[in-house]
Amino acid sequence: MLDSTPSTDDKGTLSLLVTIWWGGRGTLPLVYFVKGVNPSPKGVPLGLTVKPLWVKLLGDNRPLSAEQEQQLSCESVGARPTPLISWWKGSMPLKNTVEETSADGNRTVSTLTFVPTMEDFGKFLSCRVETPSIPDSALEDGWKLNVHHVPVVTLELGGGLNASSIKEGVDVYFECNIKSNPWVYKVCWKHNGRDLMNNASAGIFVSNQSLVLQGVARESAGLYTCVASNQEGDGESNPLLLSIRYAPVCRFATPRIIGAAKGEPVKVACEVDANPDADLHFRWQLNTSHGQLSDLSPPASQTADRLRSVALFTPATEQDFQSQLICAASNAAGEQRQPCVFQLTPAGKPDPLTNCSIVNQTADALRIECVDGWDGGLSQQFVMEVYDAQSQMLVGNVTSQVPMFTIASLHSGVGFDVLLYATNAKGQSRPSTLHAYTLKSAERRTAETPIIPHLTPLLGALIGVVVSLVLVLLAVLLALRLRGKSHFEDKTNEAVKGSSESADSLDKNPDIIPQNDDYQDADERAFEKLNSRPYVAHISADKPRGEVTYAELSLPSSVYSTLIRQKQQQQQQHHQQTAPCQDMLNGGGGGGNPAAAMAPSTVVYSQIDPSSLTVETPLISHTRESAAIGEPQPQVLPVTATRF
């Protein structure tokens, strides 16, 4: 910093010119201190102007949806003072922006809010930053806009066709023009709001953006549209009206029967469809039974109203009833190929109504539907008469152009006789009779009024019989229960007595080896003492009849070994004493059979008496076996052990 000589102007203002060398952006902010007469220096901030370092759009350049609000941000760094930020779409400036500057003034962010349109696709959107006091200080950053939108579709006839001059039998082409970003993934065609599918047999060919109709008929006329779809939605084209010019055709395919009376004029109406439907010319002819055609005369008896013509014809002879009236029309597209045919027949009364049924009935209304018959060749009406079933008074009368009748304002819960018939100029048909009734209306009831049932004598007698039967049944069940209990006690006593007798018989049975404890040691005697405690006999009477339960004995291994050892010693002593007898039994003489002598002998330990008791003995484990009391018992098999 260099000092200069101060100068004073006419007003006494002291000025001093100072030249400063700036050391770069790192020395900001700069403050200049002035020291004058006052010994305390005074700081004066210096306002420096610096151009921006850079500018850039924040975020990614992503596709934007048309007609939807978007926000984009632009950042400027390094400019002093706050720079001027502007947004541009091509050469057109955008104004809807908001700016925000950091506390140190070094960073400024500008946010743009705008709504892109389909026409913005491909345009350049830029953010421009500049310092106006510094020439050529402007910096710019921008994107090329990629705007997505719903397909825009237009429909037109192809091949130079005129939609108002297409006749039956020609081929028609449609072209669907599409403008879309992104491109469409599906194109649909519609006829009068219904989807059209590819159908070669019907002459319909769909190929992406083209539709071909081969040999169009009058049914092909109507509104056509095409619908294109992409990620943004569906776009439907303008409706295109296809008008098919065709000659008149009769509205009914089969001949109609017209009833007429001899000498009485009858009106015959002929209705056709045609395009164009203006300036139609109708021609009436009489086709006799001999196949001769003659025009009706005079022509003044015919009146026409666009697509409808009415002829007045009077049968004069019997042959006229065997003839046919023929009506044919013509327009600008040509003459009618198949005329409308009317068969004359003598007029008569209509046929009766059939299949009459009540389709709905309420407390005050009835609805009845029938099937009509031949109208007698004349226009007919249908009549329903409702009579009270008891008084036979007429309570209602309904006339209809169709065989469906509804009558209301009837009394509830009342029966009615209903007469239904058809009528024309010649009279009425034979009536069909139907019996109907209205439903009973619901009675009003209050919570305070209890409903007391009416007890008739018959109902009282029925209740008494039911109560008596219940009492008798209870008495029988009680007697059977008491009798069964007494029988059960008798059987129990018999079983206990049999068990004791069986125990005595076992003690006296010579086949049972008496127990000898001379050869038992201390452990075996202690075990036998434990097993020799008395057990209470248990009687099981809950087995179902027909089942057979066998008793099963389980002996400890020590008992088996003791008994077998005792038996072997006794048999050896007995064999020594009775050896000659045994030899004689084994075949006599001294040449006994060694195999027989070595054969195992059978030792019987216990025998179960066939009783209905469960008995536990000192030699049996604690498993209880039972048999039903009073049931037939199987044969008792002795439980044996074999000595080896």
Side-chain angles (χ1 to χ4, degrees):
M1 180 173 61
L2 298 177
D3 295 336
S4 63
T5 303
S7 60
T8 304
D9 57 8
D10 298 339
K11 297 181 180 181
T13 302
L14 180 65
S15 60
L16 180 65
L17 179 63
V18 180
T19 303
I20 301 175
W21 282 268
W22 182 35
R25 295 177 182 269
T27 61
L28 292 176
L30 294 179
V31 179
Y32 177 65
F33 293 91
V34 179
K35 183 177 181 182
V37 179
N38 190 349
S40 299
K42 184 177 182 180
V44 178
L46 298 180
L48 297 180
T49 301
V50 184
K51 67 179 182 180
L53 290 177
W54 72 76
V55 61
K56 67 176 181 179
L57 292 177
L58 301 179
D60 298 328
N61 185 10
R62 55 182 176 82
L64 306 178
S65 296
E67 308 303 331
Q68 295 185 12
E69 187 178 272
Q70 307 289 337
Q71 286 188 345
L72 298 177
S73 298
C74 175
E75 178 188 53
S76 171
V77 176
R80 297 295 180 91
T82 302
L84 177 63
I85 303 178
S86 60
W87 289 83
W88 299 80
K89 185 174 63 175
S91 59
M92 183 179 67
L94 304 176
K95 300 297 183 181
N96 191 13
T97 61
V98 176
E99 296 181 1
E100 182 179 356
T101 304
S102 62
D104 58 1
N106 189 49
R107 180 176 181 268
T108 302
V109 177
S110 177
T111 302
L112 169 68
T113 301
F114 80 112
V115 178
T117 62
M118 182 180 60
E119 291 75 14
D120 293 336
F121 175 77
K123 292 184 178 180
F124 190 76
L125 179 70
S126 63
C127 172
R128 187 179 302 170
V129 180
E130 60 181 340
T131 303
S133 59
I134 301 177
D136 300 329
S137 63
L139 297 177
E140 187 179 58
D141 187 24
W143 291 334
K144 187 177 181 180
L145 292 177
N146 182 15
V147 181
H148 288 183
H149 59 86
V150 176
V152 178
V153 187
T154 57
L155 181 63
E156 59 184 14
L157 282 175
L161 296 174
N162 186 358
S164 62
S165 61
I166 298 176
K167 294 184 179 181
E168 281 187 304
V170 302
D171 297 340
V172 178
Y173 303 88
F174 294 92
E175 292 292 338
C176 186
N177 301 318
I178 303 173
K179 182 180 180 181
S180 174
N181 182 37
W183 188 242
V184 298
Y185 62 85
K186 181 178 66 174
V187 177
C188 298
W189 292 87
K190 293 186 177 183
H191 176 219
N192 292 332
R194 297 182 178 180
D195 292 337
L196 272 179
M197 301 298 179
N198 193 74
N199 189 351
S201 60
I204 302 175
F205 298 91
V206 177
S207 176
N208 293 331
Q209 297 176 234
S210 300
L211 172 64
V212 179
L213 303 178
Q214 288 185 345
V216 295
R218 59 191 181 95
E219 292 81 7
S220 302
L223 293 175
Y224 287 83
T225 58
C226 65
V227 180
S229 304
N230 67 0
Q231 297 175 359
E232 295 292 322
D234 300 332
E236 188 170 5
S237 72
N238 56 296
L240 182 61
L241 177 62
L242 180 63
S243 179
I244 309 296
R245 296 167 60 90
Y246 58 93
V249 293
C250 192
R251 289 187 178 178
F252 49 90
T254 58
R256 301 190 64 181
I257 299 176
I258 303 297
K262 186 177 180 180
E264 296 181 2
V266 59
K267 292 182 178 181
V268 182
C270 176
E271 297 179 344
V272 296
D273 291 325
N275 186 29
D277 57 0
D279 300 329
L280 268 70
H281 175 70
F282 288 90
R283 182 182 181 184
W284 286 88
Q285 291 179 313
L286 181 64
N287 184 15
T288 63
S289 58
H290 302 289
Q292 298 178 353
L293 293 176
S294 60
D295 294 337
L296 290 183
S297 59
S301 60
Q302 306 171 16
T303 58
D305 181 17
R306 294 179 68 86
L307 298 175
R308 186 172 185 267
S309 176
V310 179
L312 188 64
F313 179 72
T314 303
T317 63
E318 296 293 337
Q319 294 182 351
D320 291 339
F321 290 102
Q322 301 177 0
S323 303
Q324 293 178 337
L325 287 176
I326 295 177
C327 167
S330 61
N331 64 356
E335 294 184 358
Q336 185 173 345
R337 298 177 183 177
Q338 297 292 335
C340 301
V341 180
F342 301 89
Q343 178 68 50
L344 296 177
T345 183
K349 297 180 180 180
D351 287 345
L353 298 175
T354 58
N355 294 336
C356 295
S357 59
I358 303 173
V359 296
N360 190 20
Q361 59 186 144
T362 63
D364 60 350
L366 294 173
R367 179 174 177 80
I368 300 175
E369 293 183 2
C370 302
V371 177
D372 57 341
W374 182 58
D375 59 2
L378 301 174
S379 177
Q380 65 178 347
Q381 291 182 335
F382 306 97
V383 181
M384 178 180 70
E385 298 179 357
V386 181
Y387 296 88
D388 186 280
Q390 294 184 354
S391 63
Q392 292 299 313
M393 293 183 60
L394 181 66
V395 296
N397 191 319
V398 179
T399 302
S400 175
Q401 298 297 325
V402 292
M404 294 184 293
F405 312 92
T406 300
I407 185 171
S409 301
L410 300 175
H411 295 290
S412 63
V414 179
F416 300 95
D417 293 330
V418 183
L419 271 63
L420 305 114
Y421 57 88
T423 179
N424 62 9
K426 291 298 181 179
Q428 69 180 36
S429 67
R430 179 174 54 84
S432 300
T433 304
L434 186 67
H435 182 73
Y437 62 91
T438 55
L439 301 178
K440 294 182 179 181
S441 60
E443 299 180 0
R444 294 185 179 180
R445 302 172 186 241
T446 59
E448 292 80 7
T449 305
I451 301 175
I452 303 175
H454 181 66
L455 186 62
T456 61
L458 180 61
L459 181 60
L462 182 60
I463 294 175
V465 171
V466 173
V467 173
S468 300
L469 292 176
V470 171
L471 295 177
V472 171
L473 181 61
L474 292 176
V476 171
L477 292 177
L478 182 60
L480 292 176
R481 184 176 180 86
L482 294 176
R483 181 179 179 184
K485 183 177 180 180
S486 176
H487 182 70
F488 176 76
E489 292 177 352
D490 295 340
K491 286 291 184 178
T492 302
N493 296 331
E494 293 176 0
V496 173
K497 182 178 179 181
S499 177
S500 59
E501 293 177 355
S502 177
D504 296 340
S505 64
L506 288 176
D507 294 337
K508 299 177 181 180
N509 194 340
D511 294 332
I512 300 301
I513 300 173
Q515 184 176 354
N516 190 356
D517 55 355
D518 296 337
Y519 301 96
Q520 294 182 356
D521 54 10
D523 294 336
E524 292 176 345
R525 291 193 185 95
F527 180 80
E528 183 179 354
K529 183 177 181 181
L530 291 176
N531 286 334
S532 61
R533 60 187 179 90
Y535 285 84
V536 181
H538 298 275
I539 301 175
S540 174
D542 54 353
K543 287 284 186 176
R545 293 187 177 273
E547 294 185 358
V548 178
T549 303
Y550 294 92
E552 186 177 307
L553 298 179
S554 176
L555 301 179
S557 58
S558 61
V559 177
Y560 277 112
S561 58
T562 302
L563 295 177
I564 292 173
R565 186 168 57 251
Q566 294 175 359
K567 184 62 178 177
Q568 288 177 351
Q569 295 175 356
Q570 293 177 3
Q571 286 182 350
Q572 291 176 0
Q573 297 175 1
H574 183 70
H575 180 71
Q576 294 175 358
Q577 297 175 0
T578 61
C581 297
Q582 295 292 339
D583 291 340
M584 293 177 64
L585 292 174
N586 290 330
N593 189 354
M598 296 301 294
S601 60
T602 300
V603 181
V604 178
Y605 297 111
S606 63
Q607 187 176 15
I608 302 175
D609 185 51
S611 65
S612 54
L613 296 176
T614 298
V615 180
E616 294 184 358
T617 67
L619 299 180
I620 303 177
S621 65
H622 295 284
T623 303
R624 297 181 179 179
E625 304 295 336
S626 61
I629 297 176
E631 297 180 358
Q633 302 297 329
Q635 182 180 1
V636 177
L637 299 178
V639 179
T640 63
T642 304
R643 185 182 63 186
F644 298 93

